[in-house]
Amino acid sequence: ADAAVAGNSAKALTLARHAFATGIAPQLLVTALAMKFRAMAKVSIGGSASALKMAPWQVDRARRELRGWSDASLAAFGAIATADAETKGASRDPQRAIEKALITICRLHGR
């Protein structure tokens, strides 16, 4: 999730494939992406850490990660939602669903 948020598709795909090879379920990767983007979306709206119900370090990290992301590029939520559905049975290849989501997210970075 960190590599995808940074827009580094090669690293994101490499790490995802390593996760698959070591037995990590694709749904766990979707969860990590969703949590990362949810935090970024909450911070983009604004407010204090307590108002956002986040720890101060989480807010600081999400603010740093928001660099390179616009409101339009946060449409990566669509890619995450699609990957979520596909890893829960809407696709025969959940690993490919994750890879497609990562590529889409990385392409949206900086737009």
Side-chain angles (χ1 to χ4, degrees):
D2 291 335
V5 167
N8 188 338
S9 59
K11 185 174 182 181
L13 289 170
T14 300
L15 291 171
R17 289 176 184 156
H18 177 73
F20 299 145
T22 58
I24 301 296
Q27 186 56 38
L28 293 176
L29 298 180
V30 172
T31 301
L33 287 168
M35 288 174 58
K36 178 76 64 180
F37 274 86
R38 188 177 306 116
M40 289 168 49
K42 286 172 73 173
V43 169
S44 73
I45 293 168
S48 66
S50 60
L52 295 172
K53 297 182 181 175
M54 297 170 69
W57 67 267
Q58 291 173 311
V59 173
D60 292 339
R61 183 174 182 171
R63 280 194 183 120
R64 284 191 308 274
E65 290 169 337
L66 271 169
R67 293 183 194 122
W69 290 92
S70 66
D71 288 343
S73 63
L74 283 176
F77 276 110
I80 296 168
T82 299
D84 184 50
E86 290 180 351
T87 58
K88 291 179 178 174
S91 171
R92 287 190 227 178
D93 190 353
Q95 292 180 358
R96 177 69 182 128
I98 297 295
E99 290 176 354
K100 287 189 310 187
L102 291 172
I103 291 167
T104 300
I105 290 167
C106 290
R107 285 184 181 157
L108 288 170
H109 183 264
R111 289 188 178 195

XYZ file of all heavy atoms in Angstrom:
810
model
N 0.830 -1.196 0.000
C 0.000 0.000 0.000
C 0.875 1.261 0.000
O 0.559 2.222 -0.690
C -0.938 0.005 1.199
N 1.966 1.224 0.744
C 2.854 2.395 0.803
C 3.458 2.698 -0.567
O 3.517 3.848 -0.980
C 3.973 2.182 1.822
C 3.472 2.155 3.252
O 2.413 2.740 3.532
O 4.154 1.540 4.093
N 3.898 1.674 -1.265
C 4.506 1.872 -2.587
C 3.475 2.384 -3.582
O 3.782 3.244 -4.413
C 5.133 0.578 -3.087
N 2.262 1.901 -3.508
C 1.207 2.358 -4.421
C 0.873 3.824 -4.164
O 0.733 4.607 -5.103
C -0.041 1.495 -4.271
N 0.778 4.201 -2.901
C 0.486 5.598 -2.556
C 1.602 6.514 -3.033
O 1.363 7.646 -3.432
C 0.252 5.735 -1.029
C 0.261 7.183 -0.593
C -1.057 5.085 -0.651
N 2.818 6.006 -3.028
C 3.959 6.792 -3.500
C 4.039 6.828 -5.028
O 4.863 7.543 -5.586
C 5.254 6.226 -2.927
N 3.202 6.035 -5.703
C 3.195 6.020 -7.160
C 4.262 5.130 -7.766
O 4.530 5.200 -8.959
N 4.856 4.265 -6.978
C 5.935 3.390 -7.439
C 5.350 2.030 -7.830
O 5.278 1.106 -7.022
C 6.982 3.239 -6.332
C 8.212 2.513 -6.794
O 8.195 1.767 -7.770
N 9.306 2.723 -6.074
N 4.937 1.912 -9.095
C 4.255 0.690 -9.535
C 5.156 -0.528 -9.512
O 4.714 -1.622 -9.144
C 3.639 0.886 -10.919
O 4.624 1.222 -11.861
N 6.420 -0.369 -9.901
C 7.325 -1.527 -9.907
C 7.479 -2.103 -8.501
O 7.390 -3.325 -8.300
C 8.682 -1.130 -10.473
N 7.686 -1.237 -7.541
C 7.855 -1.707 -6.160
C 6.549 -2.287 -5.620
O 6.554 -3.318 -4.947
C 8.335 -0.562 -5.269
C 8.643 -0.995 -3.857
C 9.258 0.130 -3.045
C 9.607 -0.342 -1.645
N 10.183 0.731 -0.842
N 5.425 -1.633 -5.929
C 4.127 -2.116 -5.450
C 3.832 -3.510 -5.992
O 3.396 -4.397 -5.250
C 3.019 -1.144 -5.842
N 4.081 -3.716 -7.282
C 3.823 -5.024 -7.884
C 4.778 -6.089 -7.346
O 4.369 -7.221 -7.079
C 3.918 -4.937 -9.401
C 2.785 -4.173 -10.077
C 3.097 -3.938 -11.544
C 1.465 -4.904 -9.916
N 6.033 -5.723 -7.179
C 7.013 -6.662 -6.633
C 6.623 -7.102 -5.228
O 6.651 -8.292 -4.899
C 8.420 -6.032 -6.625
O 8.778 -5.707 -7.966
C 9.451 -6.969 -6.028
N 6.246 -6.145 -4.402
C 5.856 -6.466 -3.026
C 4.571 -7.283 -2.985
O 4.429 -8.191 -2.158
C 5.718 -5.189 -2.209
C 7.032 -4.459 -1.916
C 6.770 -3.094 -1.300
C 7.925 -5.301 -1.024
N 3.621 -6.979 -3.875
C 2.377 -7.749 -3.913
C 2.658 -9.196 -4.325
O 2.138 -10.134 -3.712
C 1.389 -7.109 -4.884
N 3.486 -9.373 -5.326
C 3.816 -10.738 -5.767
C 4.565 -11.501 -4.682
O 4.357 -12.709 -4.513
C 4.601 -10.684 -7.069
C 3.714 -10.247 -8.213
C 4.448 -10.086 -9.502
N 3.528 -9.575 -10.515
C 3.913 -8.911 -11.584
N 5.211 -8.686 -11.796
N 3.026 -8.485 -12.458
N 5.403 -10.810 -3.938
C 6.094 -11.457 -2.817
C 5.072 -11.866 -1.754
O 5.164 -12.965 -1.181
C 7.148 -10.525 -2.220
C 7.836 -11.106 -1.027
N 8.756 -12.122 -1.115
C 7.690 -10.831 0.291
C 9.166 -12.442 0.101
N 8.531 -11.676 0.964
N 4.113 -10.988 -1.503
C 3.067 -11.305 -0.521
C 2.286 -12.549 -0.952
O 2.021 -13.439 -0.136
C 2.127 -10.116 -0.345
N 1.938 -12.623 -2.231
C 1.212 -13.794 -2.726
C 2.057 -15.058 -2.559
O 1.555 -16.100 -2.163
C 0.835 -13.634 -4.202
C -0.071 -12.463 -4.489
C 0.071 -11.754 -5.668
C -1.061 -12.077 -3.606
C -0.755 -10.686 -5.956
C -1.893 -11.001 -3.875
C -1.738 -10.303 -5.060
N 3.342 -14.942 -2.879
C 4.241 -16.095 -2.798
C 4.415 -16.594 -1.372
O 4.687 -17.779 -1.150
C 5.604 -15.745 -3.395
N 4.240 -15.713 -0.407
C 4.397 -16.101 0.995
C 3.065 -16.424 1.672
O 3.014 -16.605 2.883
C 5.143 -15.008 1.793
O 4.419 -13.782 1.702
C 6.555 -14.833 1.274
N 1.992 -16.459 0.869
C 0.708 -16.901 1.395
C -0.229 -15.828 1.911
O -1.235 -16.149 2.545
N 0.065 -14.587 1.652
C -0.834 -13.516 2.086
C -2.068 -13.524 1.181
O -1.957 -13.545 -0.044
C -0.144 -12.136 2.016
C 1.104 -12.122 2.888
C -1.105 -11.009 2.390
C 0.859 -12.295 4.363
N -3.239 -13.483 1.768
C -4.485 -13.484 0.999
C -4.658 -12.143 0.282
O -4.399 -11.079 0.871
C -5.669 -13.731 1.922
N -5.117 -12.180 -0.965
C -5.326 -10.931 -1.713
C -6.244 -9.942 -0.985
O -6.036 -8.737 -1.049
C -5.946 -11.402 -3.030
C -5.440 -12.784 -3.206
C -5.366 -13.352 -1.806
N -7.232 -10.455 -0.276
C -8.159 -9.566 0.431
C -7.444 -8.722 1.484
O -7.825 -7.587 1.737
C -9.290 -10.375 1.075
C -10.362 -9.528 1.705
C -10.993 -8.535 0.743
O -11.207 -8.837 -0.419
N -11.286 -7.351 1.217
N -6.385 -9.249 2.079
C -5.635 -8.469 3.065
C -4.930 -7.283 2.412
O -4.802 -6.218 3.023
C -4.631 -9.353 3.798
C -5.237 -10.428 4.700
C -4.148 -11.293 5.299
C -6.089 -9.800 5.781
N -4.494 -7.452 1.177
C -3.867 -6.338 0.461
C -4.900 -5.265 0.121
O -4.612 -4.073 0.201
C -3.158 -6.835 -0.796
C -2.014 -7.822 -0.548
C -1.388 -8.246 -1.859
C -0.976 -7.230 0.370
N -6.104 -5.696 -0.232
C -7.183 -4.732 -0.488
C -7.484 -3.952 0.784
O -7.658 -2.734 0.751
C -8.457 -5.430 -1.009
C -9.627 -4.463 -1.086
C -8.214 -6.064 -2.365
N -7.514 -4.637 1.886
C -7.779 -3.984 3.178
C -6.714 -2.939 3.487
O -7.031 -1.828 3.926
C -7.854 -5.028 4.302
O -8.901 -5.945 3.993
C -8.110 -4.376 5.642
N -5.456 -3.285 3.243
C -4.368 -2.328 3.491
C -4.509 -1.100 2.599
O -4.332 0.036 3.063
C -3.018 -2.996 3.253
N -4.839 -1.300 1.330
C -5.049 -0.160 0.417
C -6.208 0.701 0.887
O -6.111 1.931 0.912
C -5.314 -0.664 -1.000
C -4.131 -1.236 -1.755
C -4.603 -1.961 -3.008
C -3.150 -0.130 -2.112
N -7.306 0.054 1.256
C -8.489 0.799 1.700
C -8.199 1.616 2.955
O -8.600 2.787 3.054
C -9.647 -0.163 1.944
N -7.496 1.030 3.900
C -7.166 1.751 5.131
C -6.286 2.965 4.833
O -6.488 4.043 5.393
C -6.464 0.816 6.114
C -7.388 -0.217 6.719
S -6.536 -1.432 7.751
C -5.765 -0.389 8.954
N -5.313 2.783 3.951
C -4.393 3.860 3.600
C -5.162 5.019 2.940
O -5.001 6.176 3.315
C -3.317 3.313 2.653
C -2.315 4.297 2.168
C -1.275 4.654 3.172
C -0.408 3.485 3.548
N 0.599 3.899 4.544
N -6.005 4.703 1.969
C -6.739 5.750 1.261
C -7.832 6.372 2.121
O -8.120 7.557 2.002
C -7.295 5.217 -0.063
C -6.283 5.313 -1.161
C -5.360 4.307 -1.352
C -6.222 6.433 -1.969
C -4.399 4.394 -2.340
C -5.269 6.536 -2.959
C -4.351 5.517 -3.153
N -8.412 5.594 3.019
C -9.413 6.153 3.932
C -8.769 7.199 4.836
O -9.310 8.280 5.050
C -10.039 5.035 4.761
C -11.227 5.489 5.589
C -11.881 4.331 6.354
N -12.248 3.219 5.482
C -11.713 1.994 5.556
N -10.792 1.710 6.453
N -12.120 1.037 4.750
N -7.584 6.897 5.343
C -6.870 7.852 6.196
C -6.531 9.116 5.411
O -6.691 10.232 5.920
C -5.606 7.218 6.760
N -6.067 8.947 4.176
C -5.733 10.111 3.353
C -6.972 10.959 3.077
O -6.911 12.192 3.119
C -5.084 9.656 2.039
C -3.689 9.103 2.228
S -3.004 8.258 0.787
C -3.288 9.396 -0.530
N -8.096 10.314 2.804
C -9.333 11.047 2.525
C -9.804 11.819 3.755
O -10.211 12.983 3.655
C -10.414 10.088 2.052
N -9.722 11.189 4.921
C -10.130 11.864 6.153
C -9.266 13.098 6.404
O -9.777 14.167 6.743
C -10.037 10.904 7.340
C -11.135 9.869 7.379
C -10.906 8.821 8.448
C -11.130 9.332 9.837
N -11.068 8.239 10.847
N -7.972 12.951 6.227
C -7.055 14.062 6.476
C -7.239 15.167 5.442
O -7.112 16.349 5.757
C -5.597 13.551 6.524
C -4.602 14.682 6.508
C -5.403 12.692 7.763
N -7.586 14.805 4.212
C -7.771 15.818 3.167
C -8.958 16.732 3.484
O -8.981 17.887 3.072
C -7.954 15.176 1.793
O -9.220 14.569 1.671
N -9.917 16.226 4.240
C -11.074 17.029 4.630
C -10.679 18.053 5.680
O -11.191 19.158 5.721
C -12.207 16.124 5.153
C -12.744 15.278 3.997
C -13.324 16.928 5.785
C -13.651 14.160 4.430
N -9.728 17.680 6.527
C -9.229 18.597 7.544
C -9.756 18.268 8.919
O -10.633 17.430 9.089
N -9.183 18.921 9.884
C -9.581 18.721 11.268
C -8.414 18.227 12.102
O -7.377 17.836 11.581
N -8.610 18.251 13.384
C -7.566 17.811 14.304
C -7.551 16.290 14.384
O -8.496 15.614 13.974
C -7.822 18.389 15.696
O -9.005 17.830 16.235
N -6.483 15.775 14.941
C -6.352 14.324 15.082
C -7.502 13.758 15.910
O -8.065 12.717 15.562
C -5.007 13.983 15.716
N -7.860 14.442 16.967
C -8.950 13.927 17.801
C -10.286 13.984 17.072
O -11.105 13.073 17.199
C -9.025 14.690 19.126
O -9.262 16.059 18.890
N -10.507 15.034 16.279
C -11.748 15.129 15.514
C -11.818 14.046 14.438
O -12.900 13.543 14.114
C -11.873 16.502 14.866
N -10.665 13.698 13.895
C -10.615 12.658 12.865
C -10.569 11.259 13.461
O -10.615 10.267 12.726
C -9.379 12.866 11.976
C -9.355 14.142 11.150
C -8.001 14.313 10.473
C -10.476 14.124 10.114
N -10.454 11.190 14.802
C -10.339 9.917 15.517
C -9.138 9.114 15.023
O -9.217 7.923 14.752
C -11.626 9.109 15.412
C -12.796 9.820 16.054
C -14.042 9.012 16.004
C -15.160 9.835 16.649
N -16.441 9.191 16.560
N -8.023 9.848 14.912
C -6.760 9.252 14.484
C -5.672 9.721 15.435
O -5.776 10.793 16.024
C -6.411 9.695 13.051
C -7.396 9.243 11.992
S -7.102 10.013 10.377
C -5.567 9.231 9.904
N -4.627 8.933 15.550
C -3.474 9.345 16.342
C -2.733 10.447 15.588
O -2.762 10.484 14.357
C -2.551 8.161 16.574
N -2.085 11.362 16.304
C -1.365 12.447 15.631
C -0.353 11.955 14.597
O -0.214 12.538 13.527
C -0.676 13.185 16.781
C -1.543 12.913 17.969
C -2.059 11.513 17.759
N 0.348 10.850 14.888
C 1.328 10.335 13.928
C 0.639 9.837 12.658
O 1.201 9.932 11.568
C 2.205 9.242 14.541
C 1.493 7.966 14.884
C 0.935 7.628 16.079
C 1.267 6.854 14.007
N 0.366 6.378 16.008
C 0.563 5.879 14.745
C 1.587 6.585 12.682
C 0.170 4.660 14.195
C 1.201 5.370 12.139
C 0.503 4.421 12.889
N -0.585 9.322 12.793
C -1.326 8.866 11.612
C -1.727 10.044 10.735
O -1.660 9.959 9.505
C -2.577 8.090 12.025
C -2.294 6.752 12.651
C -3.547 6.101 13.193
O -4.324 6.745 13.910
N -3.741 4.835 12.871
N -2.120 11.136 11.370
C -2.484 12.336 10.624
C -1.262 12.895 9.901
O -1.338 13.247 8.713
C -3.118 13.395 11.556
C -3.337 14.704 10.837
C -4.425 12.870 12.138
N -0.136 12.964 10.603
C 1.092 13.465 9.978
C 1.494 12.610 8.784
O 1.854 13.124 7.722
C 2.238 13.516 10.991
C 2.028 14.560 12.066
O 1.233 15.499 11.846
O 2.649 14.437 13.142
N 1.427 11.313 8.958
C 1.801 10.411 7.862
C 0.855 10.565 6.673
O 1.288 10.630 5.527
C 1.801 8.964 8.352
C 2.245 7.992 7.294
C 2.382 6.606 7.837
N 2.861 5.736 6.778
C 3.250 4.514 6.963
N 3.223 3.988 8.167
N 3.665 3.784 5.955
N -0.438 10.632 6.938
C -1.413 10.787 5.852
C -1.216 12.120 5.134
O -1.349 12.184 3.904
C -2.826 10.678 6.406
N -0.870 13.166 5.870
C -0.600 14.468 5.228
C 0.597 14.367 4.290
O 0.574 14.902 3.185
C -0.344 15.540 6.279
C -1.598 16.074 6.886
C -1.358 17.359 7.683
N -2.604 17.752 8.296
C -2.804 17.874 9.601
N -1.816 17.671 10.449
N -3.972 18.226 10.073
N 1.652 13.693 4.735
C 2.820 13.492 3.863
C 2.451 12.682 2.633
O 2.883 12.975 1.522
C 3.951 12.795 4.629
C 4.698 13.682 5.591
C 5.969 13.004 6.108
N 5.754 11.678 6.660
C 5.407 11.418 7.930
N 5.254 12.414 8.778
N 5.245 10.176 8.350
N 1.636 11.665 2.819
C 1.254 10.795 1.707
C 0.309 11.483 0.731
O 0.228 11.090 -0.434
C 0.617 9.513 2.236
C 1.627 8.625 2.932
C 1.019 7.476 3.692
O -0.165 7.543 4.077
O 1.745 6.499 3.914
N -0.379 12.505 1.163
C -1.306 13.229 0.283
C -0.582 14.035 -0.790
O -1.190 14.391 -1.799
C -2.206 14.167 1.093
C -3.487 13.548 1.602
C -4.156 14.477 2.605
C -4.415 13.211 0.469
N 0.701 14.291 -0.586
C 1.450 15.021 -1.609
C 1.443 14.201 -2.886
O 1.751 13.019 -2.885
C 2.876 15.289 -1.147
C 2.921 16.244 0.022
C 4.355 16.556 0.433
N 4.343 17.203 1.737
C 4.973 16.761 2.811
N 5.711 15.682 2.746
N 4.887 17.406 3.951
N 1.100 14.847 -3.972
C 1.024 14.139 -5.241
C -0.367 13.608 -5.552
O -0.586 13.005 -6.586
N -1.308 13.823 -4.645
C -2.678 13.366 -4.854
C -3.622 14.559 -4.871
O -3.559 15.420 -4.001
C -3.097 12.404 -3.747
C -2.392 11.097 -3.827
C -1.235 10.760 -3.196
C -2.755 9.975 -4.616
N -0.869 9.493 -3.538
C -1.787 8.980 -4.409
C -3.815 9.714 -5.483
C -1.852 7.744 -5.035
C -3.874 8.477 -6.096
C -2.898 7.514 -5.877
N -4.487 14.609 -5.848
C -5.522 15.646 -5.913
C -6.853 14.998 -5.540
O -6.947 13.777 -5.397
C -5.608 16.209 -7.333
O -6.071 15.202 -8.226
N -7.876 15.824 -5.421
C -9.199 15.263 -5.135
C -9.616 14.297 -6.239
O -10.185 13.249 -5.974
C -10.238 16.373 -4.995
C -10.069 17.161 -3.701
O -9.377 16.670 -2.791
O -10.630 18.267 -3.617
N -9.318 14.645 -7.490
C -9.685 13.790 -8.616
C -8.923 12.471 -8.583
O -9.482 11.410 -8.867
C -9.429 14.512 -9.933
N -7.638 12.526 -8.230
C -6.853 11.294 -8.234
C -7.212 10.381 -7.065
O -6.914 9.193 -7.094
C -5.356 11.592 -8.252
O -4.950 12.281 -7.098
N -7.879 10.936 -6.059
C -8.338 10.077 -4.970
C -9.491 9.188 -5.438
O -10.030 8.407 -4.669
C -8.739 10.903 -3.745
C -7.570 11.426 -2.921
C -8.064 12.327 -1.786
C -6.733 10.312 -2.346
N -9.814 9.267 -6.715
C -10.774 8.355 -7.321
C -10.221 6.944 -7.333
O -10.878 6.012 -7.793
C -11.116 8.816 -8.727
N -9.038 6.769 -6.823
C -8.455 5.437 -6.685
C -9.361 4.555 -5.836
O -9.248 3.328 -5.884
C -7.068 5.546 -6.052
N -10.273 5.139 -5.096
C -11.224 4.357 -4.316
C -12.006 3.415 -5.225
O -12.369 2.316 -4.826
C -12.197 5.258 -3.540
C -11.648 5.739 -2.233
C -11.309 7.064 -2.057
C -11.484 4.868 -1.167
C -10.803 7.511 -0.845
C -10.990 5.303 0.047
C -10.648 6.631 0.204
N -12.278 3.856 -6.454
C -12.984 2.998 -7.404
C -12.193 1.745 -7.722
O -12.742 0.641 -7.790
N -10.895 1.899 -7.907
C -10.034 0.745 -8.190
C -9.986 -0.191 -6.989
O -9.974 -1.418 -7.143
C -8.629 1.212 -8.555
N -9.985 0.378 -5.798
C -9.950 -0.430 -4.587
C -11.269 -1.185 -4.419
O -11.281 -2.373 -4.082
C -9.640 0.434 -3.354
C -8.235 1.032 -3.485
C -9.769 -0.367 -2.063
C -7.920 2.123 -2.480
N -12.383 -0.517 -4.689
C -13.688 -1.165 -4.578
C -13.819 -2.308 -5.581
O -14.338 -3.383 -5.253
C -14.801 -0.143 -4.796
N -13.324 -2.090 -6.796
C -13.368 -3.147 -7.810
C -12.514 -4.334 -7.369
O -12.942 -5.491 -7.465
C -12.880 -2.608 -9.166
O -13.747 -1.546 -9.573
C -12.872 -3.682 -10.225
N -11.319 -4.049 -6.880
C -10.445 -5.123 -6.408
C -11.082 -5.866 -5.236
O -10.965 -7.098 -5.133
C -9.083 -4.562 -6.005
N -11.765 -5.141 -4.377
C -12.439 -5.762 -3.242
C -13.470 -6.773 -3.738
O -13.504 -7.913 -3.282
C -13.100 -4.692 -2.370
C -13.727 -5.264 -1.126
O -13.046 -6.023 -0.406
O -14.908 -4.952 -0.867
N -14.300 -6.350 -4.682
C -15.323 -7.257 -5.225
C -14.685 -8.451 -5.925
O -15.126 -9.593 -5.760
C -16.230 -6.494 -6.185
N -13.634 -8.184 -6.685
C -12.999 -9.259 -7.445
C -12.276 -10.259 -6.548
O -12.227 -11.441 -6.859
C -12.056 -8.678 -8.495
C -12.811 -7.985 -9.617
C -11.915 -7.387 -10.690
O -10.680 -7.335 -10.511
O -12.458 -6.954 -11.720
N -11.743 -9.806 -5.440
C -11.075 -10.748 -4.534
C -12.081 -11.532 -3.692
O -11.709 -12.512 -3.057
C -10.079 -10.037 -3.586
O -10.774 -9.057 -2.822
C -8.935 -9.416 -4.358
N -13.323 -11.091 -3.727
C -14.370 -11.806 -2.971
C -15.222 -12.688 -3.879
O -16.300 -13.103 -3.488
C -15.257 -10.797 -2.239
C -14.536 -10.106 -1.104
C -15.435 -9.101 -0.422
C -14.717 -8.452 0.743
N -15.520 -7.362 1.341
N -14.742 -12.934 -5.097
C -15.433 -13.890 -5.943
C -15.915 -13.377 -7.286
O -16.382 -14.158 -8.103
N -15.852 -12.075 -7.543
C -16.315 -11.537 -8.819
C -15.319 -11.796 -9.946
O -15.599 -11.507 -11.094
C -16.593 -10.042 -8.702
N -14.177 -12.356 -9.605
C -13.147 -12.658 -10.594
C -12.556 -14.026 -10.294
O -12.530 -14.455 -9.142
C -12.045 -11.596 -10.546
O -10.942 -11.968 -11.331
N -12.073 -14.668 -11.320
C -11.430 -15.968 -11.114
C -9.987 -15.815 -10.645
O -9.384 -16.768 -10.177
C -11.430 -16.762 -12.410
C -12.775 -17.281 -12.763
C -12.637 -18.246 -13.895
N -13.638 -17.923 -14.903
C -13.765 -18.543 -16.035
N -12.937 -19.517 -16.348
N -14.699 -18.202 -16.874
N -9.425 -14.625 -10.815
C -8.021 -14.412 -10.477
C -7.875 -13.216 -9.535
O -7.636 -12.092 -9.966
C -7.210 -14.189 -11.750
C -5.714 -14.202 -11.513
O -5.285 -14.255 -10.342
O -4.962 -14.150 -12.504
N -8.028 -13.442 -8.233
C -7.944 -12.331 -7.272
C -6.575 -11.657 -7.248
O -6.480 -10.461 -6.992
C -8.262 -12.962 -5.928
C -8.391 -14.409 -6.142
C -8.359 -14.705 -7.599
N -5.521 -12.407 -7.533
C -4.193 -11.790 -7.550
C -4.089 -10.786 -8.683
O -3.520 -9.705 -8.515
C -3.112 -12.864 -7.661
C -3.037 -13.720 -6.417
C -1.977 -14.795 -6.514
O -1.305 -14.954 -7.521
N -1.832 -15.562 -5.447
N -4.632 -11.127 -9.831
C -4.626 -10.199 -10.971
C -5.460 -8.953 -10.636
O -5.125 -7.848 -11.048
C -5.160 -10.897 -12.222
C -5.256 -9.999 -13.424
C -3.867 -9.604 -13.924
N -4.022 -8.692 -15.050
C -3.430 -7.524 -15.136
N -2.599 -7.121 -14.204
N -3.632 -6.747 -16.167
N -6.529 -9.125 -9.887
C -7.351 -7.986 -9.476
C -6.535 -6.997 -8.654
O -6.636 -5.776 -8.845
C -8.561 -8.466 -8.682
N -5.705 -7.515 -7.762
C -4.842 -6.658 -6.947
C -3.840 -5.938 -7.838
O -3.612 -4.729 -7.702
C -4.092 -7.484 -5.877
C -5.071 -8.122 -4.898
C -3.058 -6.630 -5.144
C -5.837 -7.148 -4.058
N -3.243 -6.660 -8.756
C -2.253 -6.051 -9.651
C -2.883 -4.934 -10.484
O -2.285 -3.870 -10.649
C -1.615 -7.115 -10.538
C -0.712 -8.054 -9.762
C -0.139 -9.172 -10.605
O -0.513 -9.311 -11.786
O 0.709 -9.917 -10.075
N -4.093 -5.158 -10.991
C -4.777 -4.108 -11.765
C -5.025 -2.877 -10.901
O -4.831 -1.746 -11.339
C -6.111 -4.619 -12.322
C -5.985 -5.580 -13.465
C -7.324 -5.896 -14.120
C -8.393 -6.280 -13.134
N -9.646 -6.751 -13.746
N -5.451 -3.101 -9.662
C -5.707 -1.981 -8.752
C -4.431 -1.203 -8.478
O -4.427 0.035 -8.490
C -6.329 -2.478 -7.457
N -3.345 -1.911 -8.237
C -2.070 -1.241 -7.958
C -1.614 -0.405 -9.149
O -1.166 0.738 -8.986
C -0.996 -2.265 -7.584
C -1.182 -2.973 -6.245
C -0.166 -4.084 -6.086
C -1.111 -1.989 -5.097
N -1.735 -0.949 -10.342
C -1.344 -0.207 -11.544
C -2.212 1.035 -11.704
O -1.698 2.130 -11.970
C -1.421 -1.120 -12.787
C -0.324 -2.177 -12.713
C -1.312 -0.302 -14.071
C -0.484 -3.322 -13.698
N -3.512 0.893 -11.499
C -4.420 2.040 -11.615
C -4.087 3.105 -10.588
O -4.020 4.304 -10.905
C -5.876 1.581 -11.438
O -6.190 0.621 -12.455
C -6.843 2.752 -11.529
N -3.863 2.697 -9.359
C -3.540 3.645 -8.279
C -2.241 4.384 -8.612
O -2.163 5.619 -8.476
C -3.451 2.919 -6.927
C -4.842 2.466 -6.504
C -2.805 3.803 -5.868
C -4.843 1.475 -5.366
N -1.240 3.663 -9.038
C 0.040 4.292 -9.359
C -0.086 5.275 -10.520
O 0.553 6.330 -10.531
C 1.100 3.240 -9.665
S 1.589 2.315 -8.180
N -0.923 4.958 -11.497
C -1.152 5.869 -12.621
C -1.870 7.139 -12.190
O -1.665 8.201 -12.777
C -1.947 5.166 -13.721
C -1.125 4.185 -14.510
C -1.899 3.589 -15.643
N -1.071 2.642 -16.363
C -1.520 1.667 -17.106
N -2.835 1.509 -17.263
N -0.698 0.850 -17.723
N -2.730 7.026 -11.197
C -3.474 8.201 -10.715
C -2.613 9.143 -9.877
O -2.936 10.318 -9.734
C -4.699 7.759 -9.899
C -5.836 7.148 -10.704
C -6.862 6.533 -9.773
C -6.478 8.204 -11.599
N -1.542 8.615 -9.311
C -0.664 9.449 -8.481
C -0.094 10.593 -9.324
O 0.405 10.383 -10.417
C 0.488 8.611 -7.906
C 1.370 9.389 -6.995
N 2.524 9.975 -7.421
C 1.259 9.664 -5.681
C 3.096 10.590 -6.398
N 2.336 10.411 -5.337
N -0.195 11.785 -8.815
C 0.365 12.951 -9.492
C -0.566 13.599 -10.492
O -0.207 14.569 -11.144
N -1.774 13.091 -10.629
C -2.727 13.698 -11.576
C -3.616 14.697 -10.913
O -3.897 14.712 -9.820
C -3.596 12.617 -12.218
C -2.805 11.788 -13.173
C -3.697 10.881 -13.914
N -2.899 10.139 -14.869
C -3.397 9.469 -15.865
N -4.683 9.434 -16.037
N -2.631 8.829 -16.686
